[in-house]
Amino acid sequence: HQLWIASNGSKGTRCDLQNEDLSHIDLSNSNLNGANLRGAVLYGAKLRGVQLVMADLSGATLIEADLTK
């Protein structure tokens, strides 16, 4: 995904976590810009400092997720 971001999508692959159960995962400070998180379950996930510019969170579950800076 980092190569995909750095090359403006011409190299690498976009992060695709559609419908994945990511409950309680620690993704703190990750760069998920442009990622596909449609329908992902992020219940109680640690998302502190995560970059989500242009990420697709349609239908994602963010209950009790930590989105603090």
Side-chain angles (χ1 to χ4, degrees), residues 4-17:
W4 182 81
I5 292 170
S7 69
N8 292 315
S10 65
K11 296 179 182 175
T13 57
R14 177 184 184 198
C15 179
D16 186 356
L17 298 170

Side-chain angles (χ1 to χ4, degrees), residues 25-50:
I25 194 167
D26 186 352
L27 293 170
S28 297
N29 301 308
S30 297
N31 185 341
L32 295 175
N33 289 341
N36 177 8
L37 294 160
R38 282 177 282 193
V41 178
L42 293 156
Y43 179 85
K46 293 178 183 167
L47 304 173
R48 284 181 232 129
V50 171

Side-chain angles (χ1 to χ4, degrees), residues 53-69:
V53 175
M54 299 296 291
D56 187 348
L57 291 157
S58 305
T61 302
L62 294 164
I63 297 170
E64 296 185 22
D66 181 357
L67 292 160
T68 58
K69 289 186 177 183

